[in-house]
Amino acid sequence: MRPFDYTRAETSEDATRQAASGATFIAGGTNLLDLMKLEVMAPGSLIDINRLDLGRIKRTDDGGLRIGALVTNSDLANNSDVRRNWPVLSRALLAGASGQLRNKATTGGNLLQRTRCLYFYDRAMACNKRKPGSGCAARDGFNRMLAVLGTSEHCIATHPSDMAVAMRALDAQVETLRQDGETRQLMLDELYLLPGDRPDRETVLEPGELITAVVLPAPVEGRQTYRKVRDRASYAFALVSTAGIVAVEDGRISRADLAFGGLAPKPWRNAQVEDLLVGEVPSESLFGKAADLLLAEARGFGANDFKIPLTRRTLVSVLTELTQEASA
């Protein structure tokens, strides 16, 4: 690990002011420290933000939930309000990492964790995300874990977060503070950038901009679940994951909010798939059509070709689970 400067911020404004010159925020450090040890990231300065007042969970006036950026994954997953009203989020968090990591990992850090692409982590290999213009060794390499949607010729990396997939299905909004003191609100989907020809640019955050909270809207009617398909039962990243919220009224689907992980460079959601389902009677045939639409532009790169049929089976299974009681 290369030498670096370390300071502690006392206020959010102090943190953004220091970071505007190129310093990197650190909270739990569960991803950042690994990247620093491998010299994939080598920040000259770290700003510890753990003293900031960003570790609270509280209800909003409209019945939603405001989650401070420093709330740990363990505290969020086990919060009674989250378990009762937003269970898809609790399940997604508990499906991610180990208990020890969840005790340190924070809400803001989870959203900003880097891809687990093997070629991104290996400094001897070409990676446009790590070194723009060097190429993408993953396209013709061992790409079993990598993306089949939202890719470009420059990058096929996947976003690793389980939490972000659930928050995408819940229409979460991200609150930030910029170095000029201005705040802004972004829908979660607006936070992330697809790789295009600049895979090194992963979010729309400006230098020094700090995530301060994530806000969930009020709970909605419907059953919720999070299904994660992975190589082993714990401490493994998703091959495919699905966060689903589905309501059925009078025998027809009245609401369908679906987000997917393990498939793309960001949590993936397709409004056309949801529109196809709403108003229809639940059936295996309908669910198959939804999967066809979701995967219409999917492309495998050899070792990850299996993700396409796996996603189809997973989506059909999740939709069956979420509608079976209403269909009985």
Side-chain angles (χ1 to χ4, degrees):
M1 187 181 292
R2 299 179 185 178
F4 58 89
D5 293 329
Y6 172 86
T7 59
R8 286 175 172 167
E10 300 297 333
T11 66
S12 296
E13 292 75 15
D14 179 39
T16 57
R17 185 170 55 252
Q18 291 187 56
S21 61
T24 298
F25 298 126
I26 185 169
T30 57
N31 184 207
L32 176 59
L33 292 178
D34 285 342
L35 293 169
M36 291 176 65
K37 290 175 183 177
L38 295 171
E39 297 189 2
V40 174
M41 293 181 65
S45 300
L46 293 182
I47 302 172
D48 189 330
I49 60 172
N50 283 294
R51 291 183 177 179
L52 306 186
D53 185 20
L54 301 176
R56 303 182 187 186
I57 303 173
K58 60 182 181 181
R59 276 293 189 121
T60 60
D61 293 340
D62 61 358
L65 200 69
R66 189 175 190 276
I67 305 161
L70 291 180
V71 172
T72 67
N73 287 179
S74 289
D75 286 347
L76 184 57
N78 293 301
N79 179 271
S80 60
D81 209 3
V82 173
R83 291 169 65 91
R84 180 173 55 253
N85 295 300
W86 295 273
V88 64
L89 177 56
S90 179
R91 293 174 183 175
L93 285 160
L94 292 173
S98 64
Q100 293 93 332
L101 287 173
R102 290 196 298 270
N103 287 341
K104 291 296 293 181
T106 62
T107 299
N110 189 298
L111 293 178
L112 298 179
Q113 62 184 300
R114 310 295 300 275
T115 183
R116 264 45 178 204
C117 174
L118 297 174
Y119 299 95
F120 173 71
Y121 273 75
D122 187 346
R123 294 172 59 238
M125 304 302 294
C127 174
N128 288 317
K129 185 179 289 292
R130 176 172 32 78
K131 185 179 179 181
S134 63
C136 176
R139 289 176 61 89
D140 298 316
F142 184 71
N143 48 46
R144 184 171 182 273
M145 295 294 295
L146 302 183
V148 296
L149 289 168
T151 63
S152 76
E153 62 179 297
H154 301 282
C155 184
I156 61 171
T158 46
H159 194 277
S161 174
D162 292 290
M163 183 194 78
V165 177
M167 287 185 168
R168 181 75 182 93
L170 290 167
D171 291 317
Q173 188 178 65
V174 178
E175 294 184 354
T176 72
L177 177 67
R178 295 192 286 200
Q179 59 91 16
D180 60 4
E182 295 295 319
T183 61
R184 64 168 168 166
Q185 290 76 41
L186 301 163
M187 296 304 296
L188 184 62
D189 189 52
E190 297 174 323
L191 173 67
Y192 297 113
L193 297 171
L194 289 177
D197 60 359
R198 285 294 308 276
D200 57 306
R201 296 181 64 243
E202 298 174 346
T203 73
V204 298
L205 296 181
E206 301 170 356
E209 190 168 7
L210 174 69
I211 293 178
T212 54
V214 177
V215 179
L216 303 181
V220 297
E221 294 296 325
R223 300 182 66 189
Q224 302 182 21
T225 195
Y226 184 75
R227 180 78 61 83
K228 181 177 182 178
V229 182
R230 47 189 163 175
D231 286 323
R232 57 183 185 272
S234 66
Y235 199 46
F237 294 100
L239 297 170
V240 173
S241 67
T242 302
I245 306 166
V246 176
V248 179
E249 295 181 9
D250 300 324
R252 294 182 180 272
I253 297 172
S254 59
R255 183 184 192 96
D257 301 324
L258 301 166
F260 304 88
L263 299 182
K266 65 179 183 178
W268 197 256
R269 191 167 175 180
N270 187 323
Q272 291 180 319
V273 173
E274 298 169 7
D275 292 342
L276 174 71
L277 293 167
V278 172
E280 299 295 328
V281 176
S283 69
E284 186 174 351
S285 174
L286 174 66
F287 301 157
K289 291 178 181 177
D292 288 340
L293 184 56
L294 172 68
L295 297 166
E297 297 183 2
R299 177 192 174 191
F301 295 88
N304 68 347
D305 291 351
F306 75 97
K307 283 194 174 190
I308 297 174
L310 178 60
T311 300
R312 162 180 277 277
R313 294 194 298 271
T314 303
L315 177 57
V316 171
S317 177
V318 166
L319 290 173
T320 300
E321 174 191 338
L322 292 174
T323 60
Q324 61 186 356
E325 288 186 3
S327 302

